[in-house]
Amino acid sequence: VKVNISGGTLSGVNEGISASSGTVLNITGGTIKSTSKSAIYHSGTGTITIGTKNGNVSKKPIFQGGTYGIYTTSANTVSFYDGIFPH
């Protein structure tokens, strides 16, 4: 499964996004937040790409987790190019 997020607000109590094994997340904008646990929870293997690798740094997307910004349970590839994790 491939999920592209470029704007808007995703929010949840436990997770803003919950993804399972094999999921590819491409996040280039928006706000993802959780009030109690993690903004992104990814179980199993997969790929998370945050922002765009273009030499310009952006403050979007925004990740706000109650405990974690990103929580993975297995070997995942996380590429971080843009965005912020405010506390």
Side-chain angles (χ1 to χ4, degrees), residues 8-84:
T9 299
L10 299 171
S11 61
V13 175
N14 290 321
E15 292 93 20
I17 296 174
S18 180
S20 59
S21 191
T23 302
V24 175
L25 295 174
N26 296 311
I27 305 166
T28 56
T31 300
I32 301 168
K33 56 185 171 179
S34 163
T35 56
S36 67
K37 292 189 180 177
S38 53
I40 297 174
Y41 173 82
H42 200 294
S43 62
T45 59
T47 303
I48 302 169
T49 303
I50 301 168
T52 304
K53 185 179 180 180
N54 61 7
N56 299 318
V57 178
S58 172
K59 290 185 178 181
K60 298 280 182 174
I62 299 170
F63 301 92
Q64 296 173 312
T67 306
Y68 303 104
I70 299 174
Y71 184 84
T72 63
T73 61
S74 298
N76 286 289
T77 300
V78 178
S79 300
F80 180 74
Y81 303 111
D82 296 309
I84 58 173

